[in-house]
């Protein structure tokens, strides 16, 4: 579909590129839809990564306070971003 990214920061930069490209109005409708779809995917991926980071911070704070975390442990899945590029 589009470029693959390795980090949250790279995903944000790519989202900024997508917004600029869409705002330029220079793409055909078909190309605009394709790049918009890429942006939606990146947004979902970033959201998942932010949720994981928030949960990790909550867990660390709870451990620092000596209380049990009220959140579930992070799922041990593969990387959130493709390993290519």
């Amino acid at each position: 579909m589009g470029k693959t990214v390795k980090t949250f920061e790279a995903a944000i930069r790519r989202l900024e590129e997508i917004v600029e490209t869409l705002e330029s109005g220079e793409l055909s409708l078909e190309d605009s839809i394709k790049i918009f779809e890429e942006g939606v995917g990146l947004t979902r991926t970033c959201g998942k990564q932010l949720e994981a980071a928030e949960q990790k911070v909550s867990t660390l704070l709870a451990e620092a306070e000596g209380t049990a975390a009220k959140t579930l442990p992070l799922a041990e899945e593969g990387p959130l971003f493709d390993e290519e590029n």
Side-chain angles (χ1 to χ4, degrees):
M1 179 175 11
K3 298 177 183 179
T4 57
V5 292
K6 292 183 179 181
T7 65
F8 177 82
E9 292 77 12
I12 294 297
R13 282 191 299 275
R14 179 63 184 142
L15 280 168
E16 290 170 348
E17 291 172 6
I18 289 170
V19 169
E20 288 176 16
T21 302
L22 289 171
E23 286 179 342
S24 74
E26 295 178 9
L27 295 178
S28 67
L29 178 59
E30 184 177 318
D31 289 341
S32 293
I33 290 170
K34 285 180 185 178
I35 197 170
F36 181 79
E37 184 177 14
E38 179 186 354
V40 169
L42 286 169
T43 301
R44 287 181 183 143
T45 300
C46 287
K48 288 177 186 177
Q49 194 171 17
L50 285 172
E51 287 174 15
E54 182 178 273
Q55 187 169 357
K56 180 68 175 176
V57 168
S58 294
T59 301
L60 291 170
L61 289 173
E63 289 173 359
E65 294 173 358
T67 61
K70 295 181 181 179
T71 58
L72 299 174
L74 295 175
E76 293 187 24
E77 298 178 5
L80 292 175
F81 294 98
D82 295 330
E83 295 295 328
E84 300 172 14
N85 287 352

